[in-house]
Amino acid sequence: MATSIYDVDILSNLTGLLASLVGRKLVNIVRFNYVSEKELVEDYYMDPKDFFCCSLGPFLFYFEDGLVIGGISDSGQNTVRMWVEKKENGEHSEWLQEEDEEAVPFYAKDYDDWKIYLNQVVKSVTIIKQTSETHPMIMSLPSERGVLFEFENGSGFIMSHGLNDHSDDTTLVKMDRIHPFFEGNLIYIPVA
């Protein structure tokens, strides 16, 4: 499957890319963070076990065939944005997230809650959109709060724009960890 280089964009503009993930094996997930581990603990009161899912910065998702996609949240648009970091043949855009020397990487393989998703084949991909009858601003923005990856073994996770804690942060969240604030305010749009 040859993939095009996609600029950073909202999920609904990347449905072809997202649909192409079905059948691919996820082999690595890396979280890039821009503050020290000490700051995460002292200034953000973060438990080290949450560094991978909830620190500050983008994710890269690596697939067995060489495709690498990135994801980050955009608070100004209340949404998640994604891009192709590398095509299957290794071709990439000029700048690579994985080569950013200022970023501190955290690897899924080092976290028991997240390494279970490695070496799993994507079964389906779903965009999660926030709706609100009482907040017109939400409706005027993309508000694509997450992308749900479900795997052939029945597991799944969401790369989200704060679905776990109702924040403006890029997070990984399990389905049963979506913040109660969103109950009844999310639409699930299958892509593949």
Side-chain angles (χ1 to χ4, degrees):
M1 262 185 260
T3 305
S4 298
I5 294 290
Y6 289 86
D7 290 329
V8 178
D9 207 342
I10 62 174
L11 302 171
S12 58
N13 290 340
L14 299 174
T15 56
L17 170 64
L18 295 173
S20 80
L21 301 179
V22 172
R24 295 183 197 245
K25 183 186 283 189
L26 180 67
V27 295
N28 195 11
I29 311 169
V30 181
R31 172 62 175 256
F32 292 89
N33 176 57
Y34 287 93
V35 298
S36 71
E37 292 180 33
K38 181 180 178 191
E39 284 178 87
L40 288 174
V41 171
E42 293 177 2
D43 297 342
Y44 294 90
Y45 309 105
M46 193 174 288
D47 188 315
K49 73 176 179 52
D50 293 328
F51 286 173
F52 180 76
C53 71
C54 303
S55 62
L56 310 170
F59 286 99
L60 289 181
F61 302 91
Y62 294 77
F63 294 89
E64 185 176 50
D65 64 0
L67 178 66
V68 181
I69 61 172
I72 194 162
S73 65
D74 178 344
S75 59
Q77 294 295 306
N78 195 44
T79 201
V80 167
R81 292 185 174 272
M82 297 191 90
W83 68 93
V84 171
E85 177 87 353
K86 280 187 188 172
K87 293 171 56 171
E88 300 87 341
N89 65 5
E91 184 182 335
H92 57 82
S93 57
E94 194 172 317
W95 183 85
L96 290 174
Q97 175 64 54
E98 66 184 11
E99 293 179 354
D100 186 344
E101 293 178 7
E102 294 178 23
V104 178
F106 296 117
Y107 299 91
K109 67 180 178 59
D110 298 328
Y111 295 85
D112 290 339
D113 282 350
W114 300 102
K115 67 183 176 185
I116 62 172
Y117 300 105
L118 301 181
N119 298 308
Q120 299 301 319
V121 175
V122 177
K123 177 181 84 174
S124 66
V125 180
T126 303
I127 295 171
I128 301 174
K129 184 170 176 67
Q130 182 182 3
T131 64
S132 175
E133 294 179 10
T134 58
H135 293 89
M137 181 66 149
I138 288 172
M139 299 305 291
S140 70
L141 299 171
S143 296
E144 296 170 352
R145 295 293 297 238
V147 59
L148 168 61
F149 297 98
E150 292 180 287
F151 300 97
E152 290 181 348
N153 71 352
S155 67
F157 66 81
I158 304 164
M159 195 208 71
S160 86
H161 174 65
L163 285 176
N164 62 316
D165 59 1
H166 191 234
S167 71
D168 282 335
D169 299 327
T170 308
T171 60
L172 279 191
V173 61
K174 297 178 182 187
M175 286 295 293
D176 63 349
R177 301 295 176 140
I178 295 175
H179 193 280
F181 171 84
F182 296 104
E183 191 171 315
N185 293 311
L186 296 175
I187 297 172
Y188 294 79
I189 305 165
V191 175

